[in-house]
Amino acid sequence: MLLQRHFVSPSQPRMTYAETLESLIRESYNANLKELQELWTTMGLSHTEINERMNTVRSKVSDITTEMVECDRENKMKIEEVCNNLKKDLRVLWRKLRMTGEPEHPPSGLTLVEQQKHLKTNLISLEEKRKERMQQFRSVIDEERALAAKLGLEAVFIDEDTIPEKEDMERVEESLRKLVRVKEERETHMFTMKEQIVTLLDCLGMDLNTTSLSSVLDGEKPFDSLKPSDLKNVQHTMVELR
């Protein structure tokens, strides 16, 4: 509220923040200074005693302003650090997107807070561009990873934060083709073993629905997992039934 009282209209000369603060301080202590003079005169204090009191006031005011300066120096350094980190993040993402040139620098004359906002906006814009590009490859990458997990095999490593190179996508697509072949081979093998188990159960006069194998041997249900261990377990069951 005090600051608002010292704002001036556009037609008046604008006071600097230092001048405004000084004016506020003077306004806050003027009445007290007048009373102090009356008190010191009434008490009959010596020049030495009065000087000691004035030095105490000066020292306290100096301590307060020094503390504020140190605090805001630290705040300034923090904002500068944020801006520098944003610039680094921009350069890294710029390279990952393989864009030519350099990221746009904040316009000259901006305050640190304005620079921070400008850099943050640019970084968000690049992040959106990265997401758009990644969506072009995501479906193939996700399909390859899901199938590799289903088969218990290794997927091609792709950095989540990097736009894949053409060679990377070729490796993923080639891996996906191989995984599809492995999946089909294992499905065929699994269906063959399931049919043999069903035949063995019939020969043994066992009701499939009363065994723990009913869910495993459900011919209508797709295989959630086709890892080597899954095939080995079914094969072990078949051997035991024989």
Side-chain angles (χ1 to χ4, degrees):
M1 295 300 293
L2 286 174
L3 280 172
Q4 291 177 355
R5 292 169 57 186
H6 285 77
F7 284 165
V8 294
S9 67
S11 60
Q12 294 176 301
R14 181 177 293 275
M15 297 174 66
T16 66
Y17 291 126
E19 290 170 339
T20 302
L21 180 57
E22 183 179 5
S23 176
L24 286 169
I25 293 172
R26 286 182 180 279
E27 182 179 305
S28 69
Y29 64 57
N30 270 339
N32 289 334
L33 291 184
K34 292 177 181 178
E35 184 174 355
L36 281 174
Q37 174 154 330
E38 292 176 2
L39 290 170
W40 293 342
T41 302
T42 301
M43 288 188 291
L45 298 181
S46 65
H47 289 299
T48 301
E49 291 171 323
I50 292 174
N51 284 335
E52 287 177 355
R53 283 165 169 74
M54 289 192 295
N55 284 331
T56 298
V57 173
R58 180 189 58 78
S59 177
K60 288 185 179 296
V61 172
S62 176
D63 289 344
I64 292 171
T65 54
T66 299
E67 181 180 349
M68 181 171 287
V69 167
E70 291 174 351
C71 179
D72 277 340
R73 279 176 181 167
E74 185 176 347
N75 289 334
K76 174 176 171 286
M77 290 174 61
K78 288 179 180 178
I79 300 175
E80 287 175 335
E81 183 179 5
V82 170
C83 288
N84 288 333
N85 288 337
L86 285 170
K87 289 176 182 177
K88 290 177 183 176
D89 293 341
L90 274 168
R91 287 195 295 270
V92 169
L93 190 51
W94 191 272
R95 288 196 297 271
K96 287 181 177 180
L97 290 169
R98 293 187 287 281
M99 300 174 69
T100 58
E102 291 292 329
E104 176 189 354
H105 294 288
S108 59
L110 295 183
T111 66
L112 286 174
V113 171
E114 289 169 339
Q115 288 183 46
Q116 181 181 343
K117 290 179 180 178
H118 180 86
L119 292 166
K120 184 66 176 177
T121 299
N122 286 354
L123 184 61
I124 291 173
S125 176
L126 284 184
E127 283 287 357
E128 291 299 322
K129 187 171 294 187
R130 183 188 69 83
K131 289 177 183 178
E132 289 174 6
R133 291 196 185 179
M134 283 301 295
Q135 285 176 354
Q136 302 171 16
F137 312 108
R138 177 53 59 193
S139 60
V140 177
I141 293 172
D142 287 346
E143 183 181 359
E144 191 262 352
R145 288 181 177 178
L147 189 51
K150 181 175 183 176
L151 299 173
L153 300 174
E154 290 291 329
V156 175
F157 174 76
I158 297 291
D159 188 347
E160 293 285 344
D161 297 322
T162 302
I163 304 300
E165 298 277 0
K166 179 182 177 181
E167 294 78 9
D168 293 329
M169 289 310 301
E170 288 175 350
R171 288 193 298 118
V172 172
E173 290 167 352
E174 175 61 24
S175 172
L176 182 56
R177 285 192 289 270
K178 290 180 180 178
L179 291 172
V180 169
R181 288 197 296 269
V182 173
K183 170 179 171 289
E184 291 172 348
E185 291 170 0
R186 291 186 183 179
E187 283 180 337
T188 300
H189 188 195
M190 185 70 85
F191 277 121
T192 301
M193 289 191 294
K194 285 171 60 175
E195 289 175 351
Q196 292 178 5
I197 290 174
V198 171
T199 301
L200 288 170
L201 288 173
D202 287 341
C203 292
L204 294 171
M206 298 175 64
D207 185 357
L208 174 63
N209 294 324
T210 63
T211 70
S212 59
L213 300 173
S214 58
S215 61
V216 177
L217 300 178
D218 184 356
E220 301 299 323
K221 184 178 180 181
F223 300 109
D224 293 327
S225 178
L226 285 170
K227 298 175 183 176
S229 58
D230 299 313
L231 275 73
K232 188 176 294 184
N233 289 337
V234 175
Q235 187 173 16
H236 177 71
T237 299
M238 185 175 64
V239 171
E240 283 190 334
L241 289 172
R242 286 177 176 171

